[in-house]
Amino acid sequence: MISSLLAVAKEKGAKEVAEAKIKLGKMQQIDIDILNLAFRELTRGTLLEKTKIKVEPEETRFRCRACGHEWNFEAPGKSEEEEAIHFVPELAHSFLRCPRCRSPDFEIMGGRGVWVEYIKISR
Amino acid sequence: MGRVHQNLKVKVPDPRLAIIEKRLKQVNRIIVVASGKGGVGKSLVATTISLWLSRKGQRVGLLDLDFHGPSCHIILGAKEVAPTEERGLIPPEVHGVKFMSVIYYIGDRPLPLRGDEISNAFVELLTITRWGRLDYLVVDVPPGIAEEVLDIIRLIKRGEFLIVATPSALATTTVARLSQLLQELQVPVLGAVENMCPSETGTEGAEKFGTTLLGRIPFDPEVEEKLGDPELLLRTKFARAVEAIVDKIRT
């Protein structure tokens, strides 16, 4: 994420990057404090050293394709399954079922992944 | 004061796509084992190629991209191994081959995925896997010309396709379609191999695949009982025919 931020900043001729807005899908089960800490550590000595990061969590929402039911993601509570979903969210289809009809055929509507919505640059 | 100060909002593209290139930077060649058709022995050919390359002193990775029916782990006999988490996932080495598959996480459970989900899972897997320095990465793709094949063409432009067929007319027409697509898209193709042949000699009739025939592999009923034991597998007639194909790929 940081290398793609740096690449975009360079491409746009940025002298400063004031702010980066990061969206954090809850399905990824990433701790905001750890993300902040990692960002500070990994940007030391780069253009992003003083960049303020705004992290906004996004709720995980599923919609069942079989019965139309919508619900929020709840971590399965088993560490192996949570680890799998953390690495590859689609693996949820192996572990989770629609709470209404038990179908594994659900759509991940939101809360997947970590992405940067924008950066604010000065040049 | 001489500086022009703008507080410009700039959009940032999906960071995963940039990471994929970085993750594969130290990989010299990427061999994509595909077929249009199922049941032709892609996984067996892909896994055996990986084992031979490793035997020949090459650093090899094997990626099982068949999310619906992963099977390379059965051939390798990969049991009680798992990737190491370290700024991503480092695949464990099984019989000299760095092996990555979703089976580490789903075990024997089904993984019902639709189109976009397959694409996302593929991108995610490429993003998190740290192969390190490799001479060869062998990718076993599922049958068909859907997400996995199209995503490789989209995201791994230097992937060289090895097409697996059988002598059956039911396979050759589909294989020829895949050849045609790859040619149209100007994707690198190493050639085809014909598996499960009544005999392994000759290259007559190879034009039906629409690409160079790298070799024929005999039907070998002994292979089934050697699954899970690479040492014994490499001693079969099947594996010896694959070795000749590996030597052609390397030159």
Side-chain angles (χ1 to χ4, degrees):
Chain A
M1 187 171 77
I2 289 165
S3 44
S4 66
L5 280 182
L6 285 169
V8 170
K10 195 178 161 191
E11 187 196 308
K12 301 285 174 187
K15 286 214 170 67
E16 268 176 33
V17 182
E19 188 184 303
K21 180 158 177 204
I22 298 169
K23 295 281 271 189
L24 187 64
K26 281 195 173 172
M27 200 176 179
Q28 231 75 25
Q29 307 163 79
I30 293 171
D31 190 292
I32 292 187
D33 292 338
I34 292 174
L35 181 80
N36 271 310
L37 197 74
F39 191 88
R40 291 276 75 98
E41 278 291 315
L42 296 169
T43 54
R44 206 169 285 163
T46 73
L47 193 62
L48 301 172
E49 189 166 10
K50 292 193 175 130
T51 302
K52 191 179 146 206
I53 58 167
K54 269 192 181 171
V55 185
E56 199 178 276
E58 188 184 86
E59 287 296 332
T60 305
R61 196 82 184 141
F62 293 148
R63 193 178 65 86
C64 179
R65 290 187 181 103
C67 77
H69 181 63
E70 286 190 22
W71 76 100
N72 281 353
F73 167 69
E74 273 175 47
K78 289 183 192 161
S79 60
E80 286 160 45
E81 300 183 1
E82 283 172 14
E83 191 190 26
I85 295 169
H86 163 73
F87 287 128
V88 182
E90 283 63 39
L91 300 184
H93 292 279
S94 261
F95 304 111
L96 307 179
R97 295 291 180 263
C98 167
R100 190 160 82 181
C101 76
R102 311 304 302 161
S103 170
D105 187 12
F106 54 82
E107 195 180 339
I108 304 170
M109 314 274 285
R112 188 208 181 287
V114 183
W115 67 102
V116 184
E117 211 163 59
Y118 62 78
I119 52 172
K120 277 187 185 167
I121 61 164
S122 303
R123 57 185 177 195
Chain B
M1 291 298 284
R3 177 171 89 173
V4 184
H5 190 89
Q6 299 165 289
N7 223 357
L8 280 175
K9 259 193 189 184
V10 179
K11 281 201 184 289
V12 179
D14 186 348
R16 299 179 303 169
L17 302 182
I19 299 170
I20 290 176
E21 260 177 58
K22 217 172 143 188
R23 292 287 197 219
L24 298 172
K25 211 172 163 183
Q26 290 177 292
V27 177
N28 188 24
R29 289 179 69 186
I30 300 170
I31 312 290
V32 182
V33 181
S35 172
K37 201 73 178 168
V40 295
K42 280 180 302 299
S43 299
L44 200 52
V45 169
T47 308
T48 310
I49 286 175
S50 310
L51 288 165
W52 275 126
L53 284 168
S54 165
R55 277 319 127 94
K56 290 169 189 285
Q58 304 295 299
R59 287 163 297 194
V60 190
L62 173 64
L63 172 63
D64 190 342
L65 259 195
D66 193 342
F67 298 131
H68 294 144
S71 58
C72 294
H73 62 290
I74 300 170
I75 304 160
L76 275 178
K79 281 179 204 146
E80 289 165 22
V81 285
T84 313
E85 192 186 350
E86 198 188 308
R87 289 188 177 189
L89 295 174
I90 302 173
E93 210 170 288
V94 185
H95 295 279
V97 175
K98 280 190 182 175
F99 175 56
M100 192 60 176
S101 165
V102 292
I103 57 111
Y104 298 126
Y105 300 102
I106 63 165
D108 292 330
R109 291 180 194 86
L111 178 58
L113 296 181
R114 285 178 183 256
D116 281 353
E117 296 163 342
I118 295 176
S119 257
N120 258 328
F122 172 58
V123 168
E124 212 67 46
L125 210 56
L126 285 182
T127 307
I128 57 173
T129 309
R130 292 179 59 199
W131 295 102
R133 201 175 285 279
L134 290 181
D135 297 304
Y136 290 90
L137 173 63
V138 180
V139 185
D140 178 28
V141 300
I145 36 178
E147 285 73 15
E148 299 84 350
V149 169
L150 295 175
D151 277 335
I152 285 178
I153 296 171
R154 177 170 70 105
L155 300 169
I156 313 178
K157 302 240 178 316
R158 61 196 175 94
E160 303 163 68
F161 276 74
L162 180 72
I163 303 173
V164 183
T166 69
S168 168
L170 303 177
T172 44
T173 54
T174 308
V175 163
R177 275 184 240 274
L178 174 63
S179 289
Q180 194 187 323
L181 178 74
L182 296 176
Q183 236 162 46
E184 185 188 327
L185 299 175
Q186 294 181 312
V187 172
V189 178
L190 290 166
V193 299
E194 197 174 25
N195 191 19
M196 304 180 196
C197 293
S199 80
E200 62 185 282
T201 50
T203 53
E204 71 285 351
E207 61 287 343
K208 64 187 170 206
F209 303 116
T211 178
T212 325
L213 182 66
L214 291 178
R216 291 198 153 108
I217 306 169
F219 177 75
D220 182 355
E222 281 182 21
V223 166
E224 185 66 27
E225 60 198 59
K226 309 292 192 297
L227 298 178
D229 190 336
E231 297 301 323
L232 294 179
L233 176 69
L234 290 185
R235 285 184 219 152
T236 58
K237 265 198 292 182
F238 163 83
R240 281 196 295 273
V242 173
E243 186 185 11
I245 291 158
V246 167
D247 291 338
K248 281 191 187 162
I249 292 172
R250 287 184 68 194
T251 53

